[in-house]
Amino acid sequence: MTWYDVYAIFQGAVFTVSISLASIVIGLPLGLGFALIRWSSVPVLDRFVVVYVSVIRASPAVTLALLIFFALPVVGISLGAVTAAVVTLTLSTAAFNTEIWRGALMSFPREQLESARAFGMTRGLRFRRIVFPQLVHSALPALVNEMTLQVKSSPAIAVLGLVDITRAASRVGARTYDPLPPFVVALVLYSLIVAVFVMTQRLIERRRAAEMEALR
Amino acid sequence: MTPPMDDAEAPVVLAAHGVSKSFGANTVLTDMELTVRKGETVCLLGPSGSGKSTFLRCLNWLEEPDAGFIVLKGQRIGIRPSGNIVMNDRELAAIRTRIGMVFQHFALWPHLTVLENVMEAPIHVQRRDKAEVRREAEALLQRVGIADKAGQYPARLSGGQKQRVGIARALAMKPDLLLFDEPTSALDPELVGEVLAVMKDLAREGMTMVVVTHEMAFARDVASRVVFLDQGRIVESGAPEEFFTRPKTDRARQFLLRYSAQ
């Protein structure tokens, strides 16, 4: 295995990070939106969310990727491989995020909402000023956990012909007849990516703790 | 210290007429009537489950009454003036800014400091000037005796301190009246006094208050009027000295006997 091979796997890592981040950035607010629809029992739409979450949760990422890439052209929607990959990962993570946000919303103390109502806050203000700032912190560990799972389910999009870390590593292994080194490199790269997520989470948690401790 | 007397000439701040409420098959309130005049402290008394808290929560429409109506300074609330349409979230919110509320379990917002809790609604709901609100909030915290805790988060406070923040938070809205929902029931006995002292001061200064409470001594000393409820109906209503020394009904006598036995 040459330095060029390592570079090739690293390029796969850049791609993995890019599509994972794209799906996370879109999937977080999307999941929150769906969770709010469920939480406030918006008629009809909340049924749609239930079905969506059930279907996506039951569907392996590989199957979903193939479905989106090959089935959508049948109804006249044709997506490029990269777009299809991002759509797959976004739909998948948004479904899990929906359940995480919803769990955090359901355990939100009712009396705080009630006092917010009694003090004349409208629905939007209650969410923005009272619920959301606390929700972010209570949902954070589960959300970061889902982000790391998301990074690790991203190799599924290799079925669309895209080259992520795992695909790049197996290509190198196939060419050099020595698969062990490239997969070690792949594992190290995955660990580094996940470590960045976890460290960011710890940083936010420490800041929050320091803020709550602070005497002004 | 004498509480302000029931002044029949003082303007009516809040009136409830024929308020009824059921939860499913369970009737909680039947045909409740209440008139609160400016400067009055009305204490709602009664055994657990008599509907006191539910009635209080109907007064600012946290609970939607099934029948009857609530009038705040001549304006019917909860229902639009035209027709029988229930007000939407925004309309109800606008009215609730004029009615302060203090909760049994404080219901402070834990992610905000004491000072921020007090400033939150005046700034974000009433959209008043931040510097002015801050000055007033600091003065209010001074008044309830916790100015030194302004920068603390509620989790650091004792129950009595939390409830005094709750009162300051309600006062910061400059409401037409204050509702208290069992403000001392969740407190350790030795902390009850500090909260009642603040409420006593408010009553003396002429704040209009409706108080659901189990503190009979407070009701006797501070209330301008007591209203005794049982099973969702008003059984008796009148001056505290009258009610506590010569209750008119058997039900009230039994109730008071239980308290004096303690």
Side-chain angles (χ1 to χ4, degrees), chain A residues 108-109 111-126 128-131 133-134 208 211-216, chain B residues 57 60-62 89-90 93 96-97 99 101 103 105 107-111 113 116 120-121 124-125 151-153 156 169-170 173:
Chain A
F108 192 85
E111 68 230 29
Q112 282 188 46
L113 283 175
E114 191 147 82
S115 60
R117 271 207 299 154
F119 279 80
M121 292 192 195
T122 52
R123 202 171 284 121
L125 203 57
R126 291 198 292 271
R128 199 155 51 78
R129 298 290 313 171
I130 305 301
V131 178
Q134 299 182 66
R208 157 91 161 174
E211 192 180 300
M212 296 303 275
E213 279 297 306
L215 298 174
R216 273 185 256 162
Chain B
R57 294 158 53 81
N60 63 352
W61 267 66
L62 278 184
D89 188 50
R90 190 166 296 276
R96 290 192 184 117
T97 61
I99 306 174
M101 192 163 196
F103 295 83
H105 296 287
L108 300 177
W109 301 305
H111 62 302
T113 64
E116 287 166 347
E120 178 67 19
H124 294 282
V125 177
Q152 298 268 14
Y153 285 92
R156 289 280 192 93
R169 176 175 69 166
M173 303 283 283

Side-chain angles (χ1 to χ4, degrees), chain A residues 117-148:
Chain A
R117 271 207 299 154
F119 279 80
M121 292 192 195
T122 52
R123 202 171 284 121
L125 203 57
R126 291 198 292 271
F127 180 74
R128 199 155 51 78
R129 298 290 313 171
I130 305 301
V131 178
F132 187 68
Q134 299 182 66
L135 201 66
V136 168
H137 289 282
S138 59
L140 186 69
L143 288 173
V144 172
N145 194 43
E146 163 56 22
M147 289 173 200
T148 62

Side-chain angles (χ1 to χ4, degrees), chain B residues 5-16:
Chain B
M5 281 294 100
D6 186 3
D7 181 358
E9 295 307 308
V12 173
V13 176
L14 185 92

Side-chain angles (χ1 to χ4, degrees), chain B residues 197-239:
Chain B
V198 170
M199 292 168 63
K200 235 175 238 187
D201 283 346
L202 287 176
R204 198 174 42 201
E205 288 160 25
M207 187 73 211
T208 311
M209 311 200 286
V210 181
V211 185
V212 170
T213 186
H214 291 286
E215 296 293 329
M216 294 304 141
F218 175 82
R220 194 179 48 225
D221 299 343
V222 181
S224 19
R225 197 147 46 84
V226 296
V227 174
F228 175 67
L229 278 75
D230 189 36
Q231 295 179 353
R233 290 169 191 276
I234 294 177
V235 178
E236 253 188 85
S237 162

Side-chain angles (χ1 to χ4, degrees), chain A:
Chain A
M1 193 172 78
T2 64
W3 282 109
Y4 181 77
D5 293 332
V6 174
Y7 174 70
I9 301 173
F10 184 76
Q11 277 198 315
V14 171
F15 185 70
T16 293
V17 169
S18 307
I19 54 165
S20 298
L21 276 183
S23 66
I24 286 166
V25 167
I26 309 169
L28 275 178
L30 200 60
L32 179 58
F34 287 152
L36 284 171
I37 288 172
R38 285 273 272 133
W39 190 49
S40 36
S41 315
V42 179
V44 187
L45 280 182
D46 68 336
R47 293 295 94 192
F48 163 78
V49 172
V50 171
V51 172
Y52 159 74
V53 170
S54 317
V55 169
I56 298 290
R57 284 210 290 190
S59 167
V62 177
T63 318
L64 193 63
L66 290 170
L67 192 75
I68 285 168
F69 191 62
F70 292 116
L72 285 186
V74 175
V75 289
I77 305 168
S78 184
L79 300 176
V82 175
T83 314
V86 172
V87 169
T88 302
L89 295 178
T90 302
L91 286 180
S92 160
T93 196
F96 289 97
N97 286 341
T98 301
E99 289 303 291
I100 293 169
W101 288 120
R102 192 170 73 89
L105 282 168
M106 284 194 311
S107 60
F108 192 85
R110 296 193 67 82
E111 68 230 29
Q112 282 188 46
L113 283 175
E114 191 147 82
S115 60
R117 271 207 299 154
F119 279 80
M121 292 192 195
T122 52
R123 202 171 284 121
L125 203 57
R126 291 198 292 271
F127 180 74
R128 199 155 51 78
R129 298 290 313 171
I130 305 301
V131 178
F132 187 68
Q134 299 182 66
L135 201 66
V136 168
H137 289 282
S138 59
L140 186 69
L143 288 173
V144 172
N145 194 43
E146 163 56 22
M147 289 173 200
T148 62
L149 290 175
Q150 180 66 7
V151 170
K152 288 185 289 177
S153 68
S154 63
I157 52 96
V159 294
L160 303 180
L162 299 169
V163 183
D164 72 317
I165 298 179
T166 304
R167 180 67 180 264
S170 61
R171 272 179 162 187
V172 171
R175 197 166 47 75
T176 58
Y177 298 108
D178 187 10
L180 189 57
F183 282 119
V184 171
V185 173
L187 190 63
V188 169
L189 288 174
Y190 279 119
S191 306
L192 288 175
I193 295 168
V194 169
V196 170
F197 282 113
V198 174
M199 272 157 47
T200 309
Q201 176 195 346
R202 297 270 182 269
L203 183 75
I204 295 172
E205 283 175 352
R206 266 202 306 275
R207 259 206 207 154
R208 157 91 161 174
E211 192 180 300
M212 296 303 275
E213 279 297 306
L215 298 174
R216 273 185 256 162

